Amino acid sequence: MAANSPFDCVLLDLDDTLYPGNTGIGPALKRNIDEFLQSIPQRKVLFTNSDRAHMKRALERLGVDEAVFDAVVCFETMNPHLFGGEAREERVDGGDHPVVVLKPAVDAIVAGLRAAGSNPRRTLFLDDSERNITAGKALGLRTALVGKRVRSKDADYALENIGALRRVIPEIWGVVAGGESERSDHSIDKMPMRSDLDSIIQPTSIQA
């Protein structure tokens, strides 16, 4: 863990965040991602709405080993009830159907927080979706909107691409540019995160 860093965990979206979706995946991109994933000292959690098969294909094409992440939250882990679980939602007509949980649903963010295992205020969430960023911020996460030059209302940071991470958020590495960060409001709440997130969060789901 980097000394003096306000972050204990980094939650990373996959598509259009970890890598840009509008460019080919070449050796240079692979090298940059390798150097980026290996340099972050915090716990790293991949947090994607994609299913495991897509996630594995994307990482394979990037040449990135899934093992570089401390945990992965994907479609299957957010929706265990679709693969043999019991959770179902009752319909008005008396029938029932499975509920699909995806970001930005609160249930999905809670899954990410559980995988992070850290205080939300000491967890940095990177995503390219403003809706996902808003959902993360509502649950106390520090947020970085990727693919934008300007922060949205609920984003603490904005990055044009993941390559700008060290410049925009040097605090990850315990470094403050010029002795002071562009955003120095890191009065992070150091109280331990509650062991049972459900006691402070009322989960909701997105229906399929």
Side-chain angles (χ1 to χ4, degrees):
M1 190 67 61
N4 303 319
S5 175
F7 306 116
D8 295 330
C9 181
V10 179
L11 276 174
L12 290 153
D13 178 43
L14 177 61
D15 300 321
D16 296 315
T17 298
L18 184 61
Y19 70 94
N22 60 350
T23 61
I25 298 176
L29 181 58
K30 173 195 178 306
R31 183 174 62 252
N32 289 341
I33 290 175
D34 278 347
E35 291 172 356
F36 160 71
L37 293 168
Q38 292 170 8
S39 71
I40 292 177
Q42 288 84 359
R43 179 174 167 81
K44 293 172 284 291
V45 177
L46 190 62
F47 185 23
T48 176
N49 280 343
S50 301
D51 62 21
R52 182 166 291 277
H54 170 80
M55 179 269 294
K56 284 184 173 293
R57 283 196 303 271
L59 291 181
E60 284 172 6
R61 290 198 63 195
L62 289 167
V64 176
D65 191 335
E66 184 181 340
V68 303
F69 299 100
D70 297 283
V72 171
V73 179
C74 60
F75 182 83
E76 286 85 351
T77 53
M78 287 186 282
N79 295 277
H81 54 284
L82 299 180
F83 304 91
E86 297 298 324
R88 300 179 74 81
E89 179 172 310
E90 205 167 297
R91 293 165 58 175
V92 177
D93 62 8
D96 65 334
H97 66 283
V99 174
V100 175
V101 177
L102 298 170
K103 294 182 290 183
V106 172
D107 306 59
I109 305 300
V110 168
L113 282 169
R114 285 184 173 141
S118 59
N119 186 322
R121 296 185 185 183
R122 292 187 60 84
T123 303
L124 179 63
F125 174 41
L126 292 93
D127 202 290
D128 64 293
S129 164
E130 291 188 20
R131 291 181 65 204
N132 295 346
I133 288 293
T134 295
K137 191 66 176 177
L139 295 184
L141 290 164
R142 300 288 288 182
T143 54
L145 182 62
V146 181
K148 305 289 183 182
R149 295 186 178 184
V150 180
R151 291 187 293 119
S152 63
K153 178 173 65 74
D154 296 304
D156 295 301
Y157 307 92
L159 296 81
E160 289 185 57
N161 55 61
I162 202 70
L165 192 62
R166 189 181 290 273
R167 174 177 55 82
V168 177
I169 319 178
E171 303 95 304
I172 291 173
W173 293 269
V175 176
V176 181
E180 191 154 343
S181 170
E182 292 177 272
R183 289 182 55 82
S184 58
D185 55 340
H186 293 303
S187 54
I188 304 297
D189 184 354
K190 295 187 178 180
M191 293 177 63
M193 188 176 76
R194 300 222 187 156
S195 58
D196 185 1
L197 286 169
D198 289 336
S199 67
I200 58 173
I201 298 169
Q202 292 297 321
T204 57
S205 299
I206 294 178
Q207 295 184 8

